[in-house]
Amino acid sequence: MTRGIHPIRRVLIIGGGPCGLVSLRNLLDRAQFDDVQLVERRDNIGGVCPWESPAYPGLIGNVLPEFLSFSGQPFPPLSRPGQPFPTLRETYGYLETFARPLFERGRIRLGHEVTRVEEVGGAADEGGWRVVMTDWTAGGEGVRKEERWDAVVITTVWFDNAYYPNVEGLDEIKETGRVRHAKTWRDSSGYEGKRVMVIGNANSANEMAAQLTPVAQLPVYRSARRVSIFPSLPDDRIEDVGPVVRYTSTGEKITAHLQHRTIEDVDYVLFGTGYYPDVPYLRVLEPGSLGRAERSARKLVPLTSRSIQPSRIPSLYRQVLYAYNPSLAFTGALVSFIPFMMADLTSTWLALVWSGHIEIPSAIEDRLDDERVRLKNLHQLRSETDNPSDLVSFHFLGCYELPYAKDARADVVRAMPEMEDVLAKWDEEQDSRRFAMYATKLDSLYTLVGKKESEI
């Protein structure tokens, strides 16, 4: 066991989405702990997949089944000709099948909403985490529960926290009730004949704009700072405009002021601008001396905040472990091109760290070096342009993703050689297939509308 981590026998995983489910499987099957459980606040597993916001009915993903497969359980064949990407329903069906044996083993508690996680003071071998939750399964106002766990895995990092860009006048127009986020998007109902502006041009913004065109007043405006890297079909009914620099409102109508143009009488502004990382229920001991007396006297403080810049979960080693107390971990904080496979890899790595098969630096400062290097690289990337993309962010590794995954995989295979033929390869050939996925997505969109690219 790495020095500085108290012995870990009991592990709680918070969140029943893909990251939580694969973390549960890997901590149960690829290491040895006395007890591993998962709690999920909703009445079913799947995270955003079972049509909970920010997903919505009819959503077709942009990740191929190969990259939605957890190790040892391939995604089943799809049945729709010309559409190689699974629907939300098909992805949820895969997760249901994956979770079934975990339910049968009694490792998942639904209807349990975590409201507080607190680091416990004391000597290293007396630490742990106090977890407060509400059990909603009994109905009514729920039942408060308090539990103690040696280690906690948090997977609820992103999708509760809608991100809005910092634009003058935005707070004022929110008061009109005409500003909405992709987090709450269901379909185009209610926008019939309305003048709508969509902010952003990544997947959510593109899908909202496309769904609005048959019903909204034309054109549907799509505001963005740069050309999108995400596949979408050309559509004359969507007018691409530059970034909004200021909003004003008159009554229920909104005016969007662009750099060189003004668009008036907008009924709704819809933001497809992503999410920011935050875990508001988490409290850690204020970093400082780790002596027993000093540790027990330190106060509890939030680890995350909307104000942290660059936006991130701070003080993480390898984007997974809390450097000051590595018995706290995050799977899903890292934003990957192929998140199912990345969560599979990082949770396997985590299981082997916590079970003592993979060593991590024993000194806190050495673990914090990982964050310092990432911040330095991020600063350099963002300084190379005067209009950096929001994708150039702390948790989105981009070109660093493959080297990161290779290192994690090598750690795992050294500790558990039998995983060589179990885990995804994370090599250049796999990365080439992943990159080709975007052209495949565009082809599938043309097929979906029954046209060839040359006809549009």
Side-chain angles (χ1 to χ4, degrees), residues 82-392:
Q83 181 50 260
F85 294 88
T87 63
L88 193 66
R89 171 57 65 189
E90 288 167 327
T91 302
Y92 179 58
Y94 172 79
L95 293 174
E96 279 188 312
T97 301
F98 182 84
R100 191 168 298 123
L102 302 173
F103 275 111
E104 292 170 353
R105 295 163 72 175
R107 301 293 185 163
I108 298 177
R109 287 183 281 167
L110 300 175
H112 283 67
E113 181 178 7
V114 172
T115 57
R116 191 82 164 183
V117 174
E118 295 180 351
E119 186 177 3
V120 177
D125 60 351
E126 296 175 358
W129 300 87
R130 181 182 297 112
V131 180
V132 179
M133 63 186 78
T134 301
D135 178 0
W136 295 107
T137 61
E141 297 181 356
V143 176
R144 183 183 185 276
K145 294 181 177 180
E146 183 174 314
E147 301 175 355
R148 179 83 168 263
W149 293 86
D150 297 327
V152 172
V153 182
I154 294 175
T155 71
T156 57
V157 173
W158 291 97
F159 292 114
D160 286 331
N161 313 308
Y163 171 76
Y164 294 88
N166 184 20
V167 178
E168 181 184 347
L170 178 57
D171 289 341
E172 287 74 14
I173 68 167
K174 281 183 178 180
E175 296 177 1
T176 68
R178 298 301 182 105
V179 174
R180 297 173 185 175
H181 193 277
K183 181 179 185 294
T184 59
W185 173 266
R186 310 308 295 161
D187 54 40
S188 60
S189 300
Y191 297 96
E192 293 83 356
K194 302 299 183 182
R195 197 174 202 189
V196 183
M197 173 173 282
V198 178
I199 309 298
N201 62 356
N203 291 318
S204 295
N206 291 343
E207 291 231 11
M208 288 192 296
Q211 292 187 31
L212 284 165
T213 53
V215 300
Q217 182 185 138
L218 299 179
V220 172
Y221 297 99
R222 181 170 55 191
S223 167
R225 290 187 293 157
R226 62 183 52 78
V227 175
S228 177
I229 65 170
F230 296 92
S232 63
L233 294 180
D235 192 330
D236 291 338
R237 298 171 296 178
I238 299 173
E239 182 176 342
D240 289 307
V241 299
V244 178
V245 297
R246 182 167 60 95
Y247 296 99
T248 56
S249 64
T250 304
E252 293 185 343
K253 297 291 186 178
I254 296 169
T255 299
H257 302 266
L258 312 181
Q259 289 176 328
H260 305 292
R261 179 182 176 187
T262 297
I263 299 176
E264 300 178 331
D265 296 327
V266 176
D267 293 299
Y268 290 98
V269 181
L270 308 183
F271 284 82
T273 46
Y275 303 84
Y276 65 91
D278 190 23
V279 186
Y281 56 76
L282 175 63
R283 297 293 183 272
V284 297
L285 292 171
E286 190 173 31
S289 170
L290 291 181
R292 182 171 181 171
E294 294 89 343
R295 182 180 177 88
S296 61
R298 281 153 52 204
K299 65 180 180 180
L300 290 165
V301 296
L303 175 62
T304 64
S305 167
R306 180 69 180 87
S307 64
I308 293 174
Q309 294 297 323
S311 182
R312 68 192 189 279
I313 306 294
S315 306
L316 293 190
Y317 174 70
R318 300 284 287 272
Q319 301 259 354
V320 176
L321 291 170
Y322 179 48
Y324 290 98
N325 183 348
S327 63
L328 173 65
F330 298 82
T331 55
L334 193 159
V335 179
S336 171
F337 294 115
I338 41 180
F340 280 39
M341 289 174 64
M342 182 60 79
D344 191 4
L345 174 63
T346 54
S347 60
T348 299
W349 179 86
L350 173 64
L352 296 176
V353 170
W354 277 353
S355 60
H357 293 91
I358 292 176
E359 285 287 324
I360 65 171
S362 57
I364 292 173
E365 284 301 310
D366 291 340
R367 295 195 291 263
L368 288 170
D369 273 343
D370 191 74
E371 180 185 46
R372 284 191 281 265
V373 170
R374 175 62 187 155
L375 287 171
K376 180 180 179 181
N377 290 336
L378 181 61
H379 176 74
Q380 180 175 343
L381 285 171
R382 294 187 70 84
S383 66
E384 291 172 354
T385 174
D386 59 359
N387 185 23
S389 167
D390 288 336
L391 291 176
V392 183

